[in-house]
Short mmCIF file of all heavy atoms in Angstrom, two decimals:
data_model
loop_
_atom_site.label_atom_id
_atom_site.label_comp_id
_atom_site.label_asym_id
_atom_site.label_seq_id
_atom_site.Cartn_x
_atom_site.Cartn_y
_atom_site.Cartn_z
N TYR A 97 -55.88 153.87 -112.76
CA TYR A 97 -54.61 154.59 -112.86
C TYR A 97 -53.44 153.74 -112.38
O TYR A 97 -52.31 153.94 -112.80
CB TYR A 97 -54.66 155.92 -112.11
CG TYR A 97 -53.78 156.96 -112.75
CD1 TYR A 97 -54.30 157.82 -113.72
CD2 TYR A 97 -52.44 157.08 -112.42
CE1 TYR A 97 -53.49 158.77 -114.34
CE2 TYR A 97 -51.62 158.01 -113.04
CZ TYR A 97 -52.16 158.85 -114.00
OH TYR A 97 -51.35 159.78 -114.61
N GLU A 100 -49.07 154.01 -110.20
CA GLU A 100 -48.42 155.30 -110.38
C GLU A 100 -49.11 156.39 -109.53
O GLU A 100 -48.52 157.44 -109.27
CB GLU A 100 -48.50 155.70 -111.86
CG GLU A 100 -47.14 156.02 -112.43
CD GLU A 100 -47.19 156.30 -113.91
OE1 GLU A 100 -47.78 157.33 -114.30
OE2 GLU A 100 -46.64 155.50 -114.68
N PRO A 116 -51.67 163.28 -110.05
CA PRO A 116 -50.77 163.06 -111.18
C PRO A 116 -51.23 163.86 -112.39
O PRO A 116 -50.52 164.01 -113.38
CB PRO A 116 -50.92 161.57 -111.46
CG PRO A 116 -52.32 161.23 -111.02
CD PRO A 116 -52.69 162.20 -109.92
N ARG A 148 -46.23 161.40 -109.55
CA ARG A 148 -46.46 160.10 -110.19
C ARG A 148 -45.40 159.14 -109.66
O ARG A 148 -44.22 159.43 -109.75
CB ARG A 148 -46.36 160.20 -111.72
CG ARG A 148 -47.45 161.07 -112.30
CD ARG A 148 -47.39 161.09 -113.82
NE ARG A 148 -48.45 161.95 -114.31
CZ ARG A 148 -48.72 162.15 -115.60
NH1 ARG A 148 -48.02 161.52 -116.52
NH2 ARG A 148 -49.71 162.93 -115.96
N GLU A 150 -43.54 156.81 -110.52
CA GLU A 150 -43.00 156.14 -111.71
C GLU A 150 -42.27 154.87 -111.31
O GLU A 150 -41.56 154.84 -110.31
CB GLU A 150 -42.02 157.07 -112.44
CG GLU A 150 -42.62 158.36 -112.98
CD GLU A 150 -43.36 158.16 -114.30
OE1 GLU A 150 -43.32 157.05 -114.85
OE2 GLU A 150 -43.99 159.14 -114.76
N VAL A 157 -34.43 165.02 -113.89
CA VAL A 157 -35.79 165.56 -113.86
C VAL A 157 -36.63 165.10 -115.06
O VAL A 157 -37.82 165.38 -115.14
CB VAL A 157 -35.79 167.11 -113.83
CG1 VAL A 157 -35.12 167.61 -112.56
CG2 VAL A 157 -35.10 167.68 -115.07
N MET A 158 -36.02 164.38 -115.96
CA MET A 158 -36.73 163.95 -117.17
C MET A 158 -37.88 162.99 -116.84
O MET A 158 -38.97 163.10 -117.38
CB MET A 158 -35.73 163.25 -118.09
CG MET A 158 -36.21 163.07 -119.48
SD MET A 158 -35.67 164.41 -120.50
CE MET A 158 -34.09 163.84 -121.05
N ARG A 159 -37.61 162.02 -116.00
CA ARG A 159 -38.68 161.14 -115.51
C ARG A 159 -38.62 161.14 -114.00
O ARG A 159 -37.94 160.33 -113.38
CB ARG A 159 -38.55 159.72 -116.07
CG ARG A 159 -39.69 158.82 -115.58
CD ARG A 159 -39.85 157.56 -116.39
NE ARG A 159 -40.12 157.82 -117.79
CZ ARG A 159 -41.31 158.20 -118.28
NH1 ARG A 159 -42.36 158.32 -117.47
NH2 ARG A 159 -41.46 158.42 -119.55
N ALA A 160 -39.30 162.11 -113.42
CA ALA A 160 -39.26 162.31 -111.98
C ALA A 160 -40.56 161.80 -111.35
O ALA A 160 -41.49 161.41 -112.04
CB ALA A 160 -39.08 163.79 -111.69
N ARG A 161 -40.59 161.79 -110.04
CA ARG A 161 -41.83 161.39 -109.36
C ARG A 161 -42.61 162.63 -108.89
O ARG A 161 -43.79 162.56 -108.63
CB ARG A 161 -41.50 160.47 -108.19
CG ARG A 161 -40.88 159.15 -108.71
CD ARG A 161 -40.92 158.08 -107.68
NE ARG A 161 -40.12 158.43 -106.53
CZ ARG A 161 -40.22 157.83 -105.36
NH1 ARG A 161 -41.13 156.87 -105.17
NH2 ARG A 161 -39.44 158.18 -104.36
N PHE A 163 -42.93 166.61 -110.28
CA PHE A 163 -42.47 167.51 -111.35
C PHE A 163 -43.53 168.57 -111.63
O PHE A 163 -44.68 168.43 -111.24
CB PHE A 163 -42.16 166.72 -112.63
CG PHE A 163 -43.32 165.94 -113.18
CD1 PHE A 163 -44.13 166.48 -114.19
CD2 PHE A 163 -43.63 164.67 -112.73
CE1 PHE A 163 -45.21 165.77 -114.71
CE2 PHE A 163 -44.70 163.95 -113.23
CZ PHE A 163 -45.50 164.50 -114.22
N ILE A 164 -43.08 169.63 -112.30
CA ILE A 164 -44.01 170.73 -112.60
C ILE A 164 -44.63 170.49 -113.97
O ILE A 164 -43.93 170.18 -114.93
CB ILE A 164 -43.28 172.09 -112.61
CG1 ILE A 164 -42.59 172.33 -111.27
CG2 ILE A 164 -44.25 173.23 -112.92
CD1 ILE A 164 -41.64 173.52 -111.28
N MET A 165 -45.94 170.63 -114.03
CA MET A 165 -46.64 170.50 -115.31
C MET A 165 -47.51 171.72 -115.52
O MET A 165 -48.09 172.26 -114.58
CB MET A 165 -47.52 169.25 -115.32
CG MET A 165 -47.98 168.85 -116.73
SD MET A 165 -49.43 167.79 -116.72
CE MET A 165 -48.73 166.24 -116.23
N ILE A 210 -55.23 158.73 -119.72
CA ILE A 210 -56.00 159.98 -119.74
C ILE A 210 -57.31 159.76 -120.51
O ILE A 210 -58.35 160.28 -120.14
CB ILE A 210 -55.18 161.12 -120.39
CG1 ILE A 210 -53.80 161.26 -119.72
CG2 ILE A 210 -55.94 162.43 -120.39
CD1 ILE A 210 -53.75 161.94 -118.39
N GLU A 217 -48.60 164.12 -129.52
CA GLU A 217 -47.48 164.39 -128.64
C GLU A 217 -46.48 165.29 -129.35
O GLU A 217 -46.33 165.20 -130.57
CB GLU A 217 -46.76 163.09 -128.26
CG GLU A 217 -47.54 162.26 -127.28
CD GLU A 217 -47.03 160.83 -127.18
OE1 GLU A 217 -46.36 160.36 -128.11
OE2 GLU A 217 -47.32 160.18 -126.17
N GLU A 226 -37.07 158.37 -124.31
CA GLU A 226 -37.64 157.08 -123.92
C GLU A 226 -38.75 156.65 -124.86
O GLU A 226 -39.20 155.52 -124.83
CB GLU A 226 -38.17 157.15 -122.49
CG GLU A 226 -37.05 157.30 -121.48
CD GLU A 226 -37.60 157.30 -120.08
OE1 GLU A 226 -38.03 158.37 -119.61
OE2 GLU A 226 -37.64 156.23 -119.48
N GLU A 242 -46.16 153.55 -130.37
CA GLU A 242 -47.28 152.89 -129.68
C GLU A 242 -48.51 152.83 -130.57
O GLU A 242 -49.36 151.97 -130.41
CB GLU A 242 -47.64 153.65 -128.40
CG GLU A 242 -46.57 153.59 -127.34
CD GLU A 242 -46.92 154.42 -126.10
OE1 GLU A 242 -47.92 155.16 -126.12
OE2 GLU A 242 -46.18 154.32 -125.13
N GLU A 419 -40.81 163.07 -125.07
CA GLU A 419 -42.14 163.67 -125.11
C GLU A 419 -42.17 164.87 -124.16
O GLU A 419 -42.08 164.70 -122.97
CB GLU A 419 -43.19 162.63 -124.68
CG GLU A 419 -44.57 163.22 -124.62
CD GLU A 419 -45.52 162.39 -123.75
OE1 GLU A 419 -45.47 161.16 -123.78
OE2 GLU A 419 -46.31 163.03 -123.03
N VAL A 420 -42.29 166.07 -124.73
CA VAL A 420 -42.34 167.26 -123.87
C VAL A 420 -43.76 167.76 -123.66
O VAL A 420 -44.06 168.42 -122.66
CB VAL A 420 -41.43 168.39 -124.40
CG1 VAL A 420 -39.96 168.06 -124.15
CG2 VAL A 420 -41.67 168.66 -125.87
N GLY A 421 -44.65 167.45 -124.60
CA GLY A 421 -46.03 167.90 -124.44
C GLY A 421 -46.99 166.88 -125.02
O GLY A 421 -46.62 166.10 -125.90
N HIS A 422 -48.22 166.91 -124.51
CA HIS A 422 -49.21 165.92 -124.96
C HIS A 422 -50.59 166.58 -124.90
O HIS A 422 -50.94 167.17 -123.88
CB HIS A 422 -49.15 164.70 -124.03
CG HIS A 422 -49.77 163.47 -124.61
ND1 HIS A 422 -49.59 162.22 -124.04
CD2 HIS A 422 -50.55 163.29 -125.69
CE1 HIS A 422 -50.25 161.32 -124.77
NE2 HIS A 422 -50.84 161.94 -125.76
N PHE A 424 -54.88 166.18 -125.77
CA PHE A 424 -55.90 165.13 -125.92
C PHE A 424 -57.27 165.74 -126.21
O PHE A 424 -57.67 166.72 -125.56
CB PHE A 424 -56.12 164.36 -124.61
CG PHE A 424 -54.91 163.71 -124.02
CD1 PHE A 424 -53.95 164.46 -123.34
CD2 PHE A 424 -54.74 162.34 -124.10
CE1 PHE A 424 -52.84 163.85 -122.76
CE2 PHE A 424 -53.63 161.73 -123.52
CZ PHE A 424 -52.68 162.48 -122.86
N GLY A 454 -51.04 169.03 -121.74
CA GLY A 454 -49.99 169.09 -120.71
C GLY A 454 -48.59 169.33 -121.27
O GLY A 454 -48.25 168.86 -122.35
N ILE A 455 -47.81 170.07 -120.49
CA ILE A 455 -46.39 170.25 -120.82
C ILE A 455 -45.58 169.99 -119.55
O ILE A 455 -45.91 170.52 -118.48
CB ILE A 455 -46.09 171.69 -121.29
CG1 ILE A 455 -46.75 171.97 -122.62
CG2 ILE A 455 -44.57 171.90 -121.42
CD1 ILE A 455 -46.50 173.37 -123.16
N GLY A 456 -44.55 169.16 -119.66
CA GLY A 456 -43.64 168.94 -118.54
C GLY A 456 -42.59 170.05 -118.55
O GLY A 456 -41.81 170.15 -119.49
N VAL A 457 -42.58 170.88 -117.51
CA VAL A 457 -41.71 172.06 -117.54
C VAL A 457 -40.23 171.67 -117.40
O VAL A 457 -39.39 172.05 -118.22
CB VAL A 457 -42.12 173.09 -116.47
CG1 VAL A 457 -41.17 174.27 -116.47
CG2 VAL A 457 -43.55 173.56 -116.73
N GLU A 458 -39.90 170.86 -116.36
CA GLU A 458 -38.48 170.49 -116.20
C GLU A 458 -38.04 169.58 -117.34
O GLU A 458 -36.89 169.60 -117.75
CB GLU A 458 -38.23 169.76 -114.88
CG GLU A 458 -38.50 170.59 -113.65
CD GLU A 458 -39.80 170.17 -113.00
OE1 GLU A 458 -40.79 169.93 -113.73
OE2 GLU A 458 -39.83 170.09 -111.75
N ARG A 459 -38.97 168.75 -117.82
CA ARG A 459 -38.57 167.87 -118.92
C ARG A 459 -38.24 168.68 -120.17
O ARG A 459 -37.33 168.35 -120.91
CB ARG A 459 -39.67 166.84 -119.21
CG ARG A 459 -39.14 165.75 -120.14
CD ARG A 459 -40.22 164.78 -120.57
NE ARG A 459 -40.52 163.78 -119.56
CZ ARG A 459 -41.37 162.77 -119.77
NH1 ARG A 459 -41.98 162.66 -120.93
NH2 ARG A 459 -41.61 161.89 -118.82
N THR A 460 -38.97 169.77 -120.35
CA THR A 460 -38.67 170.65 -121.48
C THR A 460 -37.28 171.25 -121.32
O THR A 460 -36.48 171.29 -122.26
CB THR A 460 -39.73 171.77 -121.57
OG1 THR A 460 -41.00 171.15 -121.78
CG2 THR A 460 -39.44 172.73 -122.71
P1 ATP B 9 -44.66 159.48 -120.39
O1 ATP B 9 -45.19 158.64 -121.50
O2 ATP B 9 -43.31 160.05 -120.67
O3 ATP B 9 -44.78 158.84 -119.05
P2 ATP B 9 -47.20 160.67 -120.10
O4 ATP B 9 -47.86 160.34 -121.38
O5 ATP B 9 -47.45 159.86 -118.92
O6 ATP B 9 -45.60 160.75 -120.34
P3 ATP B 9 -48.82 163.03 -119.77
O7 ATP B 9 -49.73 162.38 -118.81
O8 ATP B 9 -49.28 163.31 -121.12
O9 ATP B 9 -47.43 162.22 -119.81
O10 ATP B 9 -48.22 164.35 -119.09
C1 ATP B 9 -48.00 165.58 -119.78
C2 ATP B 9 -46.53 165.94 -119.79
O11 ATP B 9 -45.94 165.88 -118.50
C3 ATP B 9 -45.67 165.01 -120.62
O12 ATP B 9 -45.73 165.34 -121.98
C4 ATP B 9 -44.29 165.25 -120.04
O13 ATP B 9 -43.70 166.39 -120.62
C5 ATP B 9 -44.57 165.53 -118.58
N1 ATP B 9 -44.30 164.33 -117.75
C6 ATP B 9 -45.03 163.21 -117.65
N2 ATP B 9 -44.49 162.36 -116.77
C7 ATP B 9 -43.37 162.97 -116.29
C8 ATP B 9 -42.37 162.61 -115.34
N3 ATP B 9 -42.43 161.46 -114.69
N4 ATP B 9 -41.37 163.48 -115.09
C9 ATP B 9 -41.30 164.67 -115.73
N5 ATP B 9 -42.21 165.07 -116.64
C10 ATP B 9 -43.24 164.24 -116.92
#
Side-chain angles (χ1 to χ4, degrees):
Y97 212 91
E100 234 175 67
R148 295 183 181 183
E150 297 280 354
V157 297
M158 195 93 88
R159 182 163 300 282
R161 295 197 297 163
F163 59 95
I164 303 169
M165 196 200 284
I210 307 283
E217 286 165 339
E226 292 183 275
E242 293 177 352
E419 177 200 321
V420 286
H422 199 167
F424 303 77
I455 293 180
V457 177
E458 296 105 318
R459 192 186 280 185
T460 299

